[in-house]
Amino acid sequence: MKIHQPIPFKIPKSENHALLVQVDEGPFFYNQLHYHPEFQITAIVKGDGIFYAGNNMTTFTAQDVFIIGANVPHLLKCSKDYHTEDSPGVEGVSLFFDEYSFGKQFFEIRELHHIRALLQNSKRVIKVEGELKETIFNKITTTTSIQEEQLIIRFLETLSLLRQADKTYINGEQYNLVLDNNEGDRLNEVLAYTFKNLNREITIDQISQVAFLSRSQFSYFFKLHTGKTYISFLNALRIENACILLRSKNQTIEQICYEVGFQNVSNFVRHFKKVKGLTPSRYRKSWAVK
């Protein structure tokens, strides 16, 4: 029998430590939807794929940095090359801490009001951008080699840089919806089926059966927990997957169109431009000059 890791998720942080530094290594990242009461700051050292958080998604690749708010459901779904025997492997470094890690009033003091605002905005889930991104990435990834008060000093330096850095928000609004275990398990089933069958046609009837709901019940359930219709979510997921292929492989746009599950190129280009604001060919050219 297949057992799912239900949400919520418990971070193994000792009561005697305010901050947990966690290194994740393996063929792929943990890909079950989960949440925890801790804030999470993650630097991607190796790996690429789709980062789903709250009720939206974006791509991730090496040197990306994300801030995930407390109790925001999220997962990292690696590209299909990482789910093979020849996986190139992934690595990430994450910092976990909660609202009271440094005392009940720590983030309430006047000197930290900008940091408090940053943490509040992390409920929208933050992707770090701009000139400070590389410095922040290096700060996070080198926390694995320091201890005691130097670790806390490095952490505060990192928060200060994050506050100053350019950012994009994965979600338009703060994510405040709470999933119970049954809903979380059902949503995990739906997401797992969708990721696995992304390059095939998926009908509402099929995905409703995966969730053990009627069509109308499923449509209500999915819209409630993602803010999107299933078809809108599916198309957006296919577009994000196409972005990975446009950046990393020499396939033609037509080949990518069919690989990510669209049935014709014109429909693919239309949806891509709707989501990304530019055509697949322009996206590929813009990425090539970065």
Side-chain angles (χ1 to χ4, degrees):
M1 182 176 68
K2 182 168 62 174
I3 302 296
H4 295 280
Q5 287 289 341
I7 54 179
F9 194 79
K10 186 172 178 58
I11 301 300
K13 181 162 65 71
S14 168
E15 295 296 328
N16 297 322
H17 296 278
L19 181 67
L20 171 69
V21 180
Q22 178 171 296
V23 178
D24 293 299
E25 295 178 299
F28 52 84
F29 288 117
Y30 182 72
N31 59 9
Q32 291 288 306
L33 190 68
H34 62 286
Y35 68 85
H36 40 73
E38 292 84 5
F39 297 98
Q40 178 177 342
I41 303 171
T42 293
I44 305 295
V45 180
K46 290 171 57 182
D48 63 60
I50 305 294
F51 175 49
Y52 180 84
N55 53 24
N56 212 344
M57 70 191 86
T58 188
T59 57
F60 72 87
T61 191
Q63 294 200 316
D64 278 343
V65 176
F66 298 98
I67 313 173
I68 307 165
N71 295 315
V72 177
H74 57 279
L75 63 83
L76 291 166
K77 177 63 176 178
C78 288
S79 303
K80 66 179 183 179
D81 290 348
Y82 294 89
H83 295 269
T84 66
E85 292 183 359
D86 298 321
S87 168
V90 301
E91 182 181 351
V93 179
S94 295
L95 310 179
F96 295 94
F97 61 100
D98 63 38
E99 186 178 359
Y100 304 121
S101 286
F102 305 94
K104 289 187 177 181
Q105 303 300 319
F106 184 75
F107 289 113
E108 299 296 326
I109 64 176
R110 182 176 178 81
E111 290 82 358
L112 293 181
H113 72 279
H114 287 303
I115 301 299
R116 185 167 67 252
L118 172 73
L119 297 180
Q120 290 170 345
N121 284 329
S122 70
K123 293 286 281 185
R124 296 172 62 187
V125 186
I126 297 168
K127 184 175 184 179
V128 179
E129 309 280 5
E131 294 180 354
L132 289 176
K133 176 181 170 181
E134 183 178 355
T135 302
I136 293 169
F137 175 86
N138 291 333
K139 289 278 188 185
I140 295 168
T141 54
T142 54
T143 55
T144 57
S145 61
I146 55 178
Q147 297 179 356
E148 299 181 340
E149 75 277 2
Q150 292 301 318
L151 177 60
I152 304 305
I153 292 169
R154 173 67 58 82
F155 171 68
L156 291 175
E157 290 173 345
T158 303
L159 285 181
S160 179
L161 289 168
L162 286 167
R163 194 267 294 180
Q164 300 171 61
D166 295 334
K167 310 168 186 67
T168 56
Y169 295 94
I170 310 304
N171 295 280
E173 299 178 351
Q174 292 188 13
Y175 186 91
N176 293 307
L177 190 64
V178 178
L179 291 167
D180 65 30
N181 284 356
N182 290 334
E183 292 170 329
D185 197 52
R186 176 171 281 141
L187 192 54
N188 260 323
E189 289 277 9
V190 169
L191 294 176
Y193 182 90
T194 304
F195 283 125
K196 184 178 180 180
N197 297 282
L198 193 61
N199 62 339
R200 303 175 184 175
E201 181 182 6
I202 305 175
T203 67
I204 296 298
D205 284 333
Q206 288 172 326
I207 200 66
S208 298
Q209 290 175 12
V210 170
F212 294 99
L213 296 171
S214 69
R215 283 175 61 101
S216 60
Q217 288 173 327
F218 172 78
S219 296
Y220 175 80
F221 166 81
F222 196 82
K223 184 71 178 288
L224 176 66
H225 293 297
T226 67
K228 298 180 176 67
T229 66
Y230 180 74
I231 297 303
S232 294
F233 168 83
L234 180 61
N235 286 333
L237 182 58
R238 285 171 169 161
I239 294 303
E240 295 296 343
N241 200 40
C243 288
I244 298 170
L245 298 177
L246 286 165
R247 297 194 310 240
S248 62
K249 295 189 177 182
N250 294 320
Q251 293 170 291
T252 66
I253 289 172
E254 183 177 7
Q255 289 171 326
I256 291 172
C257 160
Y258 294 118
E259 181 166 340
V260 300
F262 283 95
Q263 301 303 307
N264 65 74
V265 176
S266 62
N267 192 35
F268 167 62
V269 172
R270 180 170 61 84
H271 280 289
F272 193 100
K273 191 172 183 180
K274 181 180 179 181
V275 173
K276 294 297 178 182
L278 69 172
T279 64
S281 58
R282 280 190 170 275
Y283 180 89
R284 172 171 267 172
K285 288 177 182 176
S286 69
W287 188 262
V289 299
K290 288 184 179 181

